[in-house]
Amino acid sequence: MNKKDNIVVIGAGLCGSLLALRLAQRGYKVAMYESRPDLRTTDISAGRSINLALSDRGFKALRLAGVEEKAREICIPMYGRLIHDTEGNTFASNYSGRNGEYINSISRGDLNGILLTEAENHENVTIHFNKKCTSVDIENTIVHFKDYETKEEFSVNADVVFGTDGAGSILRKSYYLERKFLFSYSQNYLTHGYKELEIPADALGKHQISKDHLHIWPRGKYMLIALPNLDGSFTVTLFLSYDEGEYNFNNLTTEEKITEFFEKEFPDALKLIPSIKDEFFNNPTGALGTVKCSPWSYKGNTLLMGDAAHAIVPFYGQGMNASFEDVTVFDEILDRCDGSWEEVFKEYQKQRKEDTDAIADLAIDNYYEMRDHVANPLFKQKRKIEMDLESNFPTEYFSKYSMVTFNDEISYSKAMKKGRAQDKALLNLIADNEVITSLDMTKEELAVVLKKVQEETNEILEEDKVAGLK
């Protein structure tokens, strides 16, 4: 590794911007290329999530780069889910039983803009917009681009290339097209897609429903969620099958059909979305997919990072946080390794791959939980016990959600293994009537429950280990 190496970062989204900023802070020279216009001066949000959930792993990376406080200034805390049924009734489910633990709704564009500006403030960073990467010669680290404004094609010679160009990564595509090495790749889509709508602010510019929650309308085969924005609006996302069921994206083709669907399934939300027809027809329908691949690097000259290496579905609110944690882990490895880029890249994948696979699987799990289970009485009982345990034993018990979202010292893979075992243990206790959730338990009674959960969790983990599942 050499501070004078010519480093090219493909993609100036959230991960690429943070990576470029951190590399610049370490003294490296970075040129970043982005296919879209500068989002600080042009609205390019169409088809992409307008707001995202930022939590502890993301904040840890932003803190490392010195921009945590700027990010917090544009955050809206969400303390839990607010579940809406078809009758218009709601019930809240906190994210944590501990005080001060919550996730944050944040504008994708505003956060990306902060990172771009911070990176651009370093003289060893240059950012080139409207430059579409068309291919990468991975053997010779030559990156080919097309300028969207001049229509000219050009090439850039690099010493090191980072592909932070998202789920449709051109660098990743070059890996399997060039056939220079054995490259494993999978891209799996859910049968559901998504479409974004909006609940506008009221006449006074205020939020029409609670801004302190992530709102969910779970309906089994489909789901609506809403996250608050600083301007008083909510970004609403409909998750719906493309072609299955009574209602799907393929048959919601008329205003009458759309209105019928929302009146039946989301009547309270419909009253808050005045331009449902125009938004439904004009806003694109997005796909929901998971990307897994290996290896992430080639000859120590190129490296995939963020969604380019491990795109996930959005249902754990960890896509951005996982990509930011990539930068944290990579930075820690740079502190330890003073050898070649190849050594750093191999160590990075060795340390990171298991965790990114784990959060991908957890995101799929949470999709079904949010869609099918959050309104289930058994699920509500389990969450009540978890909240009581976290409230009374804040340092001894962490739910799976808390381990993933609020404890950045626990890896995703460990959180998945232990969290799944805990869930199974709790559900077994409830099913066997060893826990009475209809009554408020004393701390002493909860201590007995905690001990039982810990014992059964350890037994399940040991059984998984023996079975070769750990």
Side-chain angles (χ1 to χ4, degrees), residues 355-366:
D355 289 330
T356 59
D357 284 352
I359 192 56
D361 294 343
L362 284 169
I364 296 290
D365 289 352
N366 221 39

Side-chain angles (χ1 to χ4, degrees), residues 384-385 388-389 392-393 426 429 434-453:
K384 182 179 185 302
I385 297 171
D388 289 344
L389 289 174
N392 285 274
F393 306 100
L426 271 171
L429 291 174
E434 293 189 50
V435 180
I436 308 300
T437 57
S438 59
L439 302 175
D440 288 328
M441 288 179 280
T442 65
K443 187 168 184 176
E444 290 72 21
E445 290 170 328
L446 282 167
V448 175
V449 173
L450 175 63
K451 185 177 180 181
K452 288 182 178 179
V453 171

Side-chain angles (χ1 to χ4, degrees), residues 315-467:
F315 302 104
Y316 228 112
Q318 287 296 304
M320 170 180 62
N321 294 287
S323 292
F324 281 176
E325 190 174 63
D326 284 356
V327 178
T328 304
V329 173
F330 187 75
D331 192 76
E332 291 169 352
I333 293 169
L334 285 178
D335 282 338
R336 298 198 308 268
C337 296
D338 56 2
S340 65
W341 285 111
E342 184 171 15
E343 178 186 346
V344 170
F345 291 173
K346 285 182 177 179
E347 179 60 26
Y348 169 70
Q349 177 169 329
K350 179 181 178 182
Q351 185 170 330
R352 190 69 179 142
K353 182 72 166 70
E354 183 181 12
D355 289 330
T356 59
D357 284 352
I359 192 56
D361 294 343
L362 284 169
I364 296 290
D365 289 352
N366 221 39
Y367 163 61
Y368 293 107
E369 178 178 302
M370 293 172 71
R371 195 189 74 176
D372 302 337
H373 304 318
V374 290
N376 184 299
L378 188 61
F379 178 84
K380 292 181 184 178
Q381 292 178 59
K382 181 176 81 74
R383 284 301 289 165
K384 182 179 185 302
I385 297 171
E386 289 181 321
M387 294 300 99
D388 289 344
L389 289 174
E390 288 188 337
S391 177
N392 285 274
F393 306 100
T395 62
E396 297 175 65
Y397 184 84
F398 291 83
S399 69
K400 180 176 66 182
Y401 187 89
S402 289
M403 283 188 280
V404 169
T405 308
F406 304 123
N407 196 327
D408 55 60
E409 298 304 317
I410 296 179
S411 67
Y412 283 132
S413 55
K414 182 177 180 180
M416 180 179 71
K417 292 168 186 172
K418 185 175 181 179
R420 283 177 171 175
Q422 278 184 178
D423 286 350
K424 186 175 180 180
L426 271 171
L427 290 170
N428 286 344
L429 291 174
I430 295 170
D432 295 339
N433 293 316
E434 293 189 50
V435 180
I436 308 300
T437 57
S438 59
L439 302 175
D440 288 328
M441 288 179 280
T442 65
K443 187 168 184 176
E444 290 72 21
E445 290 170 328
L446 282 167
V448 175
V449 173
L450 175 63
K451 185 177 180 181
K452 288 182 178 179
V453 171
Q454 290 174 332
E455 290 175 348
E456 183 152 351
T457 296
N458 289 334
E459 289 178 9
I460 293 169
L461 288 171
E462 185 60 31
E463 289 171 359
D464 288 349
K465 185 177 181 180
V466 171

Side-chain angles (χ1 to χ4, degrees), residues 170-307:
I170 298 300
L171 177 59
R172 190 183 67 238
K173 185 178 179 180
S174 296
Y175 278 7
Y176 63 76
L177 287 180
E178 291 202 20
R179 301 181 182 277
K180 298 288 185 180
F181 61 107
L182 295 176
F183 181 66
S184 299
Y185 167 63
S186 68
Q187 186 165 359
N188 298 307
Y189 290 98
L190 295 180
T191 57
H192 284 49
Y194 73 93
K195 186 181 290 288
E196 293 199 336
L197 310 167
E198 182 189 47
I199 295 175
D202 65 16
L204 299 176
K206 303 295 184 182
H207 294 91
Q208 296 193 58
I209 51 179
S210 170
K211 68 178 178 62
D212 298 325
H213 295 88
L214 184 151
H215 295 260
I216 306 179
W217 290 258
R219 299 294 183 263
K221 296 300 182 183
Y222 25 80
M223 172 175 64
L224 203 67
I225 68 170
L227 277 73
N229 297 308
L230 288 173
D231 65 0
S233 68
F234 281 82
T235 300
V236 181
T237 308
L238 171 66
F239 298 96
L240 181 68
S241 172
Y242 285 103
D243 54 15
E244 297 177 354
E246 180 182 1
Y247 300 104
N248 56 65
F249 280 124
N250 286 349
N251 68 23
L252 291 180
T253 56
T254 66
E255 181 178 0
E256 292 73 23
K257 188 77 170 179
I258 294 167
T259 303
E260 173 191 312
F261 173 50
F262 274 81
E263 283 180 342
K264 179 181 177 182
E265 300 295 343
F266 313 111
D268 56 336
L270 179 60
K271 295 175 183 176
L272 302 171
I273 308 175
S275 54
I276 182 73
K277 176 181 72 72
D278 292 338
E279 291 186 21
F280 201 94
F281 288 140
N282 293 329
N283 293 351
T285 301
L288 297 164
T290 300
V291 169
K292 293 182 180 180
C293 63
S294 179
W296 292 343
S297 64
Y298 177 66
K299 285 190 172 181
N301 298 325
T302 63
L303 178 70
L304 297 169
M305 192 176 285
D307 284 355

